[in-house]
Amino acid sequence: MRGMTFAGEGRKLTVLCIGAHSDDIEIGVGGTILSWLRSGAEIDVTWCVASAPGVRRQEAEASARDFLDGAKSCRLELAEFKDGFFPYQGAEIKAWFEAIKARSGTPDVVFTHRRDDAHQDHREVCKLTWNTFRDHVIFEYEIPKWDGDLGHPNFYVPVEAKSLERKIELLDKHFGTQRSKDWFDAETFRGLARLRGMECRAPERYAEGFVARKLYFAAAR
């Protein structure tokens, strides 16, 4: 499998991460962000969580600080839309997306939820991402869950073993509200990363998988 390099020593990259709930970004793309930062890339990150009320806001803020340690810059955009009701709050969430777009400029990469995710909030976030960011590179990440909705990624980012262990450590450290869920544990996160690493022959055996619906190759100038 031939690889493309997005991040590396001294390379500048602007990244927009969008998640429905606190912990979604970390689960779906946390290993990728940590690996890119370890590579020495100069990354500017906008980190957006649509539903982060109360203690979930505290979790999101503390987690983002640790995951983005070493980033050139980071900005958090935290809202408090009602969990589980995103399809019925579409107009309000769309306005929030437009405000984020106005403040975030033109990111090189946008990370969002998968279009066919079984969670209705995740699907709404994906729909509004594509509706709002119409001329951007968008990668859709996956969230393991009881519904059994894991799909078929067509884009992979190898994750170093140290970055994966750091991701798992930070998830356990920061998201106490989620520890009671039977899927929220190190075995789930490590197992999925190993499966995706196998699928792309990752050098250190682990990877995160994404859906890339539209990409094109441009000649260097």
Side-chain angles (χ1 to χ4, degrees):
M1 181 177 289
R2 301 293 293 273
M4 297 182 297
T5 301
F6 269 84
E9 184 71 36
R11 182 160 183 176
K12 299 181 186 298
L13 196 64
T14 58
V15 179
L16 173 61
C17 299
I18 306 173
H21 314 100
S22 305
D23 77 15
D24 284 341
I25 298 171
E26 292 88 339
I27 292 171
V29 72
T32 295
I33 295 296
L34 290 170
S35 290
W36 284 359
L37 290 172
R38 282 177 58 86
S39 77
E42 298 180 16
I43 304 181
D44 297 285
V45 183
T46 301
W47 189 276
C48 310
V49 181
S51 181
V55 67
R56 294 289 271 156
R57 171 177 287 268
Q58 298 170 22
E59 290 180 336
E61 291 172 340
S63 176
R65 280 196 299 269
D66 274 354
F67 269 90
L68 299 178
D69 183 31
K72 181 181 177 183
S73 69
C74 58
R75 185 175 73 252
L76 269 62
E77 301 268 3
L78 306 180
E80 297 186 5
F81 297 106
K82 188 175 180 181
D83 183 7
F85 286 77
F86 282 20
Y88 312 104
Q89 304 171 82
E92 294 83 0
I93 300 175
K94 171 62 174 175
W96 182 66
F97 267 74
E98 291 293 342
I100 290 170
K101 182 179 180 180
R103 289 190 289 267
S104 62
T106 305
D108 297 310
V109 180
V110 179
F111 288 107
T112 192
H113 289 280
R114 269 184 32 244
R115 182 181 299 173
D116 52 355
D117 192 296
H119 195 301
Q120 66 273 19
D121 292 351
H122 297 180
R123 294 194 303 273
E124 188 72 14
V125 166
C126 180
K127 180 177 74 174
L128 292 174
T129 300
W130 282 97
N131 179 267
T132 306
F133 299 93
R134 300 183 63 82
D135 193 28
H136 297 74
V137 175
I138 298 176
F139 296 130
E140 300 174 7
Y141 58 78
E142 56 187 348
I143 304 291
K145 61 180 71 67
W146 173 87
D147 308 80
D149 66 349
L150 293 177
H152 303 282
N154 60 7
F155 187 89
Y156 298 84
V157 178
V159 174
E160 299 165 331
K162 288 184 178 180
S163 294
L164 177 66
E165 293 309 313
R166 179 62 172 163
K167 167 184 171 173
I168 294 171
E169 173 192 348
L170 293 178
L171 283 168
D172 183 67
K173 173 184 177 182
H174 290 298
F175 295 104
T177 60
Q178 305 303 296
R179 294 192 197 115
S180 63
K181 297 182 177 179
D182 54 9
W183 61 268
F184 192 94
D185 61 30
E187 289 183 334
T188 298
F189 303 133
R190 190 177 293 110
L192 180 57
R194 176 67 188 103
L195 176 63
R196 298 317 185 201
M198 176 274 295
E199 292 173 346
C200 70
R201 295 177 177 167
E204 295 193 27
R205 295 164 52 86
Y206 300 109
E208 289 178 334
F210 304 89
V211 174
R213 299 192 184 277
K214 283 191 176 184
L215 293 175
Y216 75 89
F217 291 94
R221 297 184 180 184

